[in-house]
Amino acid sequence: MTRKEIYKDIRRIALGEGAEGEPMFSSVAWWNKNIEFLEEDTPFEFPALFIEFGTVDYEPQKGGCEPGQCDVLLHVVVDGHKSNPVDCLGRCENLISALRARPWYLRHLQSVSNHDHGEIIECLEIVRARIF
């Protein structure tokens, strides 16, 4: 799958029904340092998911397409006035669980909590994706 197809796949899953019958996220978009520029950026609804792709490392193949791998950074963002860190972590777990069955998904690499944004809570999940 291409990065575009992976983005659409993640978006479809994130906006689909979660365990409680509601979407996992209210908004999904490409990562563009959205949290760092909250005052200047277009407003978004919480909870939000921002998707960022790392560098793609391609593996040369004789006479065929070049498959590759890249890290996909999933920025899970919740409003600290309406949610708490446990809610953010729960959304991360649900999202990763749903992605594990996807054909492009290789493995879960890392989880990071970011507390640098005041009342905004951000949890970052990093997964490795197969590009083909």
Side-chain angles (χ1 to χ4, degrees):
M1 295 182 83
T2 66
R3 287 174 290 176
K4 178 181 173 183
E5 292 168 327
I6 292 171
Y7 173 82
K8 287 182 176 182
D9 194 33
I10 295 170
R11 181 178 170 79
R12 182 186 53 75
I13 290 167
L15 293 173
E17 285 188 15
E20 294 81 36
E22 296 181 10
M24 279 193 254
F25 297 93
S26 298
S27 55
V28 178
W30 289 96
W31 173 251
N32 193 20
K33 298 187 178 184
N34 307 71
I35 300 169
E36 294 175 26
F37 302 105
L38 278 174
E39 301 301 321
E40 298 92 21
D41 202 7
T42 305
F44 55 85
E45 289 184 49
F46 293 100
L49 172 65
F50 296 103
I51 303 167
E52 176 182 6
F53 288 90
T55 302
V56 179
D57 295 317
Y58 291 102
E59 302 164 15
Q61 300 287 319
K62 267 189 169 176
C65 70
E66 298 177 9
Q69 294 183 10
C70 77
D71 294 348
V72 180
L73 292 79
L74 305 167
H75 300 260
V76 175
V77 182
V78 298
D79 181 351
H81 291 109
K82 298 177 183 173
S83 299
N84 60 50
V86 174
D87 178 47
C88 194
L89 296 174
R91 288 180 189 283
C92 290
E93 291 168 6
N94 292 339
L95 178 61
I96 296 299
S97 179
L99 296 179
R100 280 195 171 102
R102 308 310 305 151
W104 53 264
Y105 181 94
L106 291 173
R107 65 187 158 280
H108 189 187
L109 298 174
Q110 198 171 36
S111 298
V112 180
S113 297
N114 186 345
H115 306 284
D116 294 337
H117 304 295
E119 294 302 320
I120 303 301
I121 301 168
E122 177 191 19
C123 297
L124 180 65
E125 299 296 328
I126 304 171
V127 300
R128 177 76 39 92
R130 178 184 301 120
I131 308 295
F132 53 95

